[in-house]
Amino acid sequence: MNRLILSVSIPALLLAACASAPAEDAIYGLAPDMVQGPLEPMAPVGAPPHFPADLTPAGVRAADDHLALEEVEGAQAMAFVAESNRKALAALEGDRRYETFRQQAFDILSATDRIPGPSFLGEGIGNFWQDATNPKGIWRRTTLDSYRSDATRWETLLDIDALARAEGRDWVWKGADCLAPDETRCLVNLSDGGKDAVVVREFDTTTKSFVDGGFVLPEGKHRIEWLDRDTLLVATDFGPNTLTESGYPFIVKALKRGQTLAQATEVYRGDIGDGGYGVSPSVYRDKDGRIEAVLFHRPLDTFRAETWRWVDGRTVKLNLPERVGVNGTMGDRLVFSLDEDWTVTGATLPAGAMVSADLDDLSRPQGGSVHVVFTPGERQSVDSVRVMSDSVLAVVSDNVVGTLKRFDPGHHGDWQATDIAVPANSAVGLGDSSKSRGQVFLTSQGFLTPPTLSLADVSTATTTELRSAPAKFDASTHVVEQFEATSSDGTKIPYFVTRPRDMAMDGSAPTILFGYGGFQVSFPPAYKPEMGKLWLENGGVFVQANIRGGGEFGPEWHQSVLKENRQLAFDDFAAVAADLHRRGISSPRRTGIYGRSNGGVLTSVTMTQHPELINAAVIESPLIDMLRYHELPAGASWMGEYGDPRIPGDAAFIARYSAYQQLRPDTDYPRVYITTNTRDDRVHPGHARKFAARLEAMGHDHVYYEETAGGHSNDADPVANARRWARHYVYLAQQLMD
């Protein structure tokens, strides 16, 4: 595809990483003798969730007295935000630790010795950079030789701080899509205040300026690909009845230079009733920039989709399963990963397998021969893939430990695997790739090990280290261990513990338990410098639970807790908390939980179902009112994950865990911290506001803070992000250390 440089976070995922560093794929120094097995199987934690008596048979509470808080900038809502923020800032920023934490976090987030995240840009290397001088950031470039050196010389392409001042807008960089092979023409994405919705402008890297009369698209959640220098494939809001219920596009048009959106020519149409995140075009190219395939991804719901090929001016539905991830093209081959078992040509290929097939064969109704590239084992998964000109590079996770493999096609459809050396017991992440250069950037890091950036030469199956980030906290006092807890149905749930090496196992250690558990998003170990500085250095413990719902062990690890089975993911998290207490690592008084976005479902449910297990919860950018989430943009796109509250049967099982409905005035909850963002157009701020308002109405102590700029990704600037992390850790210290 055309390269998206430093792109916006994928809106298809409610990805909510605990770390804030830009390079987050991972190495961790985990010695084999530190990996320990589970204790004896434990009984289910606590009693089954209570089903509220005041719910109708459909599971919907008769009245919601906080609906006014769903009006994003309504007068009542903003008055609530202002008063809540006043109280929260007094409690958190008034704490004696706040300024120290804020300064430490800012020093980390704005440090000039960070690894500049690289992307291939034409003949050189591109990077987007933020620091104290450039809080909104600069887009810049250099040569590979200069990037390798100790004194890199950067050339500024676009200064977002200067642009924002000149135009009087709160611009936030959301990436640039550059046309191969020379990549001198780029579509720059700018967000007003950090929203997912962006304005798109054509930029010329040779003149370092926006193109006079070039492509410009108004604010929207666009899906755009370059077709050629004068043509874009655009899926966007084309006017009335051109967006789905979730607010995403379902029509793709070819937009010629000089045309308005109204003049563009339709080339593909889904349906207004489609689910998921909208139709998106993809243009796959060879090493010289020639098009190998044009595909349209049409989501039917959150995870099922049709794949269509545009060839000779017509669209053809490919003979692919509905749960599939397209990795790329290699000449006339399509490489893809299965998210469901697939029976084809008399054989059944397992979910999780990476396969290849001829594009023309897939374009025929009867299909054709399909060849397996790699089949993961029981505790393995294919984490990330880069399809090159002659081979495929993939990270294969084995019990959340990364390996790197190159796969080469044979003469008879078979594929041969070659291991590429990476640090032992590490998590590995693939960055940007270049078919023309045959190179891929890769990173490695761990909870106690700062990131290392390397360059992989695919043809020789070798890597060269480019940069290694300096340590941002003292890791010498801590060790990393991996344990397993046993969930309510007997499933073994792995989790990592980063703790002081001489810690007494008497339950006295202040401990943060992080989890996500959704959308097949994996969380391998990653270096979290602000957590290390503000928490570990102060004697804290950090725990990361790889619960079901993620992708750590392939599609089944995710799909086993969809919809009516969601409670199992919550049971996994509770089982890890209880296991920490049984081992003496922590205790309920000293245990806090943290999750954001989909992780906000997890933390709010844990708070309401198992308040006896915790004494703190950071519930950030959360989904909480699960009986109305489909009514709040862009919630309807996630019904494949949670279910449809409009269906009585779905509403019944959702109501059993939806924290907004499960709150009780007579239950002893810990003092929790709820926080969100007014400009979050991915997870509506109404969830967090209503939860805080109901806690207040029931007389439960809590802290609610709403940032008014920055969006869901918290990527507006390091100044705001430093304040955010300082508030988090002040609250956690108050609850767990004081």
Side-chain angles (χ1 to χ4, degrees), residues 3 5-6 116-129 138-144 147 154-155 157 173 178 183 205 432 437 441 453:
R3 183 164 298 111
I5 299 171
L6 296 157
S119 60
F120 294 104
L121 180 59
E123 296 298 316
I125 301 298
N127 165 255
F128 182 72
W129 181 259
I138 52 174
W139 184 29
R140 58 188 189 172
R141 68 182 170 191
T142 189
T143 65
L144 180 58
Y147 185 85
W154 292 100
E155 174 190 10
L157 296 173
W173 170 265
C178 299
E183 297 181 326
T205 62
D432 197 20
R437 303 189 199 188
F441 290 111
L453 174 73

Side-chain angles (χ1 to χ4, degrees), residues 252-334:
V252 182
K253 295 186 179 184
L255 178 67
K256 294 286 187 181
R257 186 174 298 279
Q259 286 184 329
T260 65
L261 286 175
Q263 295 169 324
T265 303
E266 183 175 318
V267 295
Y268 179 78
R269 175 181 289 257
D271 186 83
I272 197 169
D274 288 347
Y277 317 105
V279 168
S280 58
S282 298
V283 179
Y284 297 92
R285 302 178 186 272
D286 66 12
K287 64 178 182 174
D288 299 314
R290 292 186 293 264
I291 293 176
E292 293 181 331
V294 177
L295 303 182
F296 301 125
H297 176 85
R298 179 201 174 189
L300 304 176
D301 60 24
T302 313
F303 304 107
R304 297 184 307 114
E306 295 175 349
T307 307
W308 293 71
R309 182 187 183 193
W310 192 38
V311 58
D312 298 329
R314 65 189 183 94
T315 55
V316 179
K317 183 180 177 183
L318 294 186
N319 182 30
L320 288 172
E322 292 180 341
R323 289 178 178 265
V324 67
V326 173
N327 299 315
T329 56
M330 185 188 298
D332 57 4
R333 292 187 181 94
L334 185 71

Side-chain angles (χ1 to χ4, degrees), residues 588-589 591-594 614-618 670-673 731-732 735-736:
R589 167 66 181 85
T591 299
I593 56 176
Y594 171 58
I614 61 172
N615 194 44
V618 177
R671 169 180 174 259
V672 298
Y673 176 38
Y731 161 77
L732 289 164
Q735 293 297 115
L736 305 179

